[in-house]
Amino acid sequence: MHVHVHGGAVADVQLRIYEPPRFFEAFLRGRAFTEPPDITARICGICPVAYQMSSCLAIEDACGVAVTDEIRAMRRLLYCGEWIESHALHVYLLHAPDFLGYPSAIEMAQEHPAVVEQGLRLKKAGNAIMTVVGGRSIHPVNVRVGGFYRFPTRDELTALRPTLQQARDDALATVTLVAGFDFPDFEQPYEYVAMRAEDGYPMESGSVVSSSGLAFPAQRFGDHVTEEHVEHSNALHARLADRAAYVVGPLARYTLNSDRLSPLAQEAATAAGLGPSCRNPFRSIVVRAVELVQACDEALRLVDEWRGAGPPYVQVTPRAATGHGVTEAPRGLLYHRYTLDADGTIQDAVIVPPTSQNQASIEADLRSYVQDRLELSDEELTRQCEQAIRNYDPCISCATHFLDLTVDRT
Amino acid sequence: MTPDVRSALVVGLGNPERGDDGVGAEVVRRVAARALDGVRALHLQEPVHLLDESPDADLVVVVDAVLGPTRPGAVTVHEVDDRPLESWTGTGGTHAVGLAAVVELARALDRLPRRLVLVGVEASVFDTGTRLSPPVQAAVDEAADVVVRLVQAQQVDR
């Protein structure tokens, strides 16, 4: 990250932390329409399910296929597993140390082992769901276009209940823990973009809405979102057409869907001091904790309501067409688009991950944030900027203290 | 599994879609193919997922691509002891929790396995695509042999 300070004011902030998956897009050309779920799952080791879900929806859209309610419910359960795992990892191992004044989770674990164990228990619960539904805990092999190779049995799902009940308790304890943190007074007038479904909190299906009143289906994503290449990095900054930068992720989801949280999650949010919307990125840790409660609650509901009726997948026959899919990855909206030829060979692929979409806003945040903290040493400024970036739970490809901050003071 | 065969967990780390980062998975595949008694072989893309595995095994061997000073294809072995582990691979996967951080976190929680050995294969090319670079591909069998010898030595050492 490069900051240029001139005459006591921040002249420029340039951030190079994320490389969009353009090589994966190129790699997908010439592959079969059945392959994106497996191939794109490798883009992110923490959210493979998100890539599988968005790619399945996009391929199914191209082929004119809608899955059954049972398949959708099972996808939602699988996604609950991933949200639990991803949010627990971020809250406990990456973000909480910042608020408690520890350089990393390691030092935090030395003084608060029970707290970290709670987080790891949550992570493992998410993992357990993914193993039962996805077929393997880390890279779900049970997912295919059209649904799943097999459904879990009622017994396999019921066996998850004790783990999920413990996880729900742990999630509620997480909200209590993080609600007590000190949050800098920092609000930004973001435009939020998230999904909204026919009912429930958005995860595996729905259309796209924004806080300024936009509403469009996945198929119109390209009409509303443009990606512009930014000179100083490999990044493509995503912008809503004719508008400023926007934000996706827990804060956007929460602000646009807080009315759709389960009663228990709603109660936890209120007790944590959250109103119907949240525009302080530092409070994202509280929103993630509330989403942990939501995901655990939802997982229990899905397990209890599961009847296992119908086939685990619907047949998907390729045709020459372009298809679009959006789902809510733990980090935010994830868009896939595939163009197929008549025998299902992929002609073109576009993948817009949540971290890509947040890049412009992260930079804008840092610009404001750094402006008020110019008197800090470069070391302290670096630490605080890392914390500010972690608000977005970005996908990055470097080590824990990843911010190489250079400050030019002229 | 016979009673006097000790258990071992062999884990290959890394992303098979990123060139040499796939070496961990490839080595573990070779080890699994030998179907040794009492050995469980696993591929994990991210080091942080090691924390979900219970350290019941007598021996845990983790295989990963490393950035090293020697040459691509060099195989290194490090026995984790009381000393804190310095950055092992130099990368933290996609979410900044690298193998060294995972090991030290496990240590802080008193969760380290009874014996943990890290086998590294020096790598150089991490482009998207599933091919290992020639020196790394050439090192796969050697690394698999190293892992098998570790496991077998553990099993006779009673």
Side-chain angles (χ1 to χ4, degrees), chain A residues 266-340:
Chain A
Q266 185 68 258
E267 222 177 273
T270 307
L274 287 175
S277 72
C278 183
R279 291 183 173 287
N280 182 342
F282 291 91
R283 287 187 184 274
S284 60
I285 195 172
V286 184
V287 174
R288 271 187 206 93
V290 168
E291 286 193 336
L292 272 168
V293 175
Q294 171 66 25
C296 292
D297 220 14
E298 186 73 353
L300 277 159
R301 181 187 73 79
L302 289 162
V303 161
D304 289 343
E305 290 179 6
W306 177 250
R307 293 293 162 258
Y313 65 89
V314 298
Q315 198 57 45
V316 179
T317 307
R319 63 182 186 184
T322 296
H324 312 256
V326 280
T327 65
E328 285 282 354
R331 266 149 219 92
L333 211 134
L334 170 62
Y335 168 75
H336 285 225
R337 186 190 86 206
Y338 299 101
T339 300
L340 310 179

Side-chain angles (χ1 to χ4, degrees), chain A residues 67-77 133 146-148 151-152 157 204 302 305-314:
Chain A
V67 300
T68 64
D69 288 343
E70 285 77 23
I71 292 169
R72 192 166 34 251
M74 192 52 58
R75 283 179 166 173
R76 193 172 172 81
L77 179 59
V133 180
F148 296 89
F151 275 151
L157 288 179
E204 84 301 336
L302 289 162
E305 290 179 6
W306 177 250
R307 293 293 162 258
Y313 65 89
V314 298

Side-chain angles (χ1 to χ4, degrees), chain A residues 19 23-24 27 38-39 41-47 85 89 93-94 105-107 109-110 112-114 116-117 120-121 123-124 127 136-139 331 393-400 402, chain B residues 14-18 25 29 40 42-46 48-54 87 90-98 100-111 127-130:
Chain A
E19 203 183 285
F23 292 115
F24 272 90
F27 188 56
D38 287 331
I39 292 175
R42 296 281 181 210
I43 289 174
C44 177
I46 302 299
C47 50
E85 174 151 42
L89 194 161
L93 298 195
L94 296 176
I106 297 163
E107 290 80 6
Q110 283 161 355
H112 302 284
V116 178
E117 287 287 2
L120 293 181
R121 203 163 48 232
K123 179 192 185 303
K124 197 164 182 179
N127 201 340
R136 194 168 75 203
S137 64
I138 301 313
H139 180 191
R331 266 149 219 92
D393 184 11
C395 252
I396 57 175
S397 47
C398 24
T400 310
F402 58 84
Chain B
N15 187 344
E17 299 281 342
R18 296 298 297 263
R29 199 169 309 144
R40 189 173 152 235
L42 190 59
H43 165 235
L44 299 177
Q45 186 163 325
E46 294 281 333
V48 76
H49 297 318
L50 283 165
L51 294 167
D52 293 331
E53 300 296 321
S54 318
S87 175
T91 66
T94 43
H95 287 269
V97 186
V102 167
V103 169
E104 292 313 311
L105 188 60
R107 193 197 303 277
L109 294 170
D110 203 22
R111 276 178 170 232
D127 297 340
T128 306
T130 53

